Amino acid sequence: KLGGKISKWFIATSMIIFSLYLHLLAARTGLLVWYIFIVLWAGYISIKKNKLFGLSVVLITSIFAFAAITYVPTLKKRFEYVKYSFEMFQQNDTTGQYSDIGRLISYDISLKLIEKNPLLGVGCGDIMTEMKAGYRQYYPQVEEVRQLIPHNQFLIVATGCGIFALIFFSLWIFYPLRLTSLKRSNFFFTTVWLSVFIPILFEPILEIQFGLFVFLFFLLLQMHQTSVEQSNKHNN
């Protein structure tokens, strides 16, 4: 019992420290995943245990988010940068000097390439070559150093391999959601899946070894834990 209490306190303390550091780091994707987890967890608590406590968590989290954006310097600057980038985009700034606008440009070029090569794509090995050609044709004002591959994993698959490959890839990504339910183990599996799913919408993480490792390691680890818990309940 003492070891269990120590473990719980250690986990709780680590979560608080890492959460504070995440806000100081001002990592937008990480913060998005963090807040979505809190909201989902609060919803789970509301349904399974105490509705008032769950709603209180959402309210406190909203107040904390507002305070963080207002008083944490790095997060405040990041938030202002996003607003400024959006304003520049509204003014038709397509130089790619701002990361968010650069992503949108990469999406636009990728969609144009998919439209031209819908069935087989341009070939995985030729994505960057074709993207650079697209930049020269549609966005010649973007410097070569700012030219990107599509910062969305679904667009990368469709661009490189075509629509049919995108369909199979989408089935592979969403297939684990068959485990979704309000059971505790399945709920946490769903939140882990969501945590690794969101980044692939904004980054080509499966194109690098470390990104692929992170995606598979935590997903398979939680899937294994879910299977063990279900097996133990069945045996008991």
Side-chain angles (χ1 to χ4, degrees), residues 2-235:
L2 179 61
K5 289 182 178 180
I6 293 175
S7 297
K8 289 181 179 179
W9 276 104
F10 174 77
I11 292 172
T13 303
S14 298
M15 289 178 64
I16 292 172
I17 292 174
F18 291 146
S19 296
L20 293 174
Y21 175 71
L22 189 61
H23 285 78
L24 290 174
L25 188 64
R28 290 176 299 176
T29 304
L31 287 172
L32 177 62
V33 170
W34 189 85
Y35 280 105
I36 287 177
F37 167 76
I38 294 297
V39 171
L40 289 176
W41 178 70
Y44 174 79
I45 294 297
S46 297
I47 296 173
K48 300 291 288 186
K49 295 183 180 181
N50 189 310
K51 183 178 293 186
L52 181 60
F53 179 76
L55 294 175
S56 299
V57 170
V58 174
L59 178 60
I60 293 172
T61 301
S62 301
I63 295 173
F64 177 78
F66 177 78
I69 292 175
T70 304
Y71 297 108
V72 177
T74 51
L75 190 57
K76 183 178 181 181
K77 289 182 179 178
R78 183 60 64 91
F79 183 72
E80 291 174 348
Y81 175 78
V82 172
K83 288 175 60 180
Y84 181 72
S85 298
F86 182 70
E87 291 172 359
M88 292 296 101
F89 181 71
Q90 287 183 317
Q91 296 175 20
N92 296 319
D93 185 320
T94 56
T95 59
Q97 295 182 24
Y98 309 98
S99 60
D100 295 327
I101 297 177
R103 282 185 171 87
L104 294 176
I105 292 173
S106 75
Y107 298 162
D108 183 53
I109 296 174
S110 175
L111 290 172
K112 286 179 169 60
L113 292 176
I114 294 170
E115 186 177 358
K116 292 180 179 179
N117 307 274
L119 298 180
L120 300 178
V122 300
C124 292
D126 294 324
I127 290 179
M128 193 65 237
T129 301
E130 294 297 327
M131 287 294 293
K132 287 184 176 181
Y135 275 102
R136 288 193 298 270
Q137 181 177 356
Y138 303 109
Y139 298 93
Q141 67 275 24
V142 178
E143 299 176 1
E144 186 172 357
V145 69
R146 301 184 187 280
Q147 296 176 3
L148 308 171
I149 62 174
H151 269 45
N152 177 295
Q153 195 64 50
F154 291 95
L155 287 179
I156 285 183
V157 172
T159 303
C161 304
I163 299 298
F164 292 116
L166 174 63
I167 293 172
F168 283 111
F169 176 73
S170 300
L171 290 173
W172 178 74
I173 289 292
F174 289 102
Y175 182 70
L177 287 182
R178 72 191 190 281
L179 298 176
T180 299
S181 73
L182 286 178
K183 294 181 180 178
R184 185 175 183 275
S185 59
N186 288 7
F187 166 76
F188 280 105
F189 172 80
T190 303
T191 57
V192 169
W193 177 89
L194 189 62
S195 297
V196 296
F197 171 76
I198 290 176
I200 72 175
L201 299 177
F202 306 105
E203 301 287 344
I205 65 171
L206 300 185
E207 300 303 303
I208 58 176
Q209 188 176 32
F210 180 72
L212 185 61
F213 163 76
V214 170
F215 183 89
L216 292 177
F217 177 81
F218 290 102
L219 197 61
L220 293 177
L221 179 65
Q222 188 60 39
M223 183 178 289
H224 172 72
Q225 181 64 27
T226 300
S227 300
V228 170
E229 290 184 11
Q230 291 178 345
S231 177
N232 290 339
K233 289 180 180 180
H234 179 72
N235 293 332

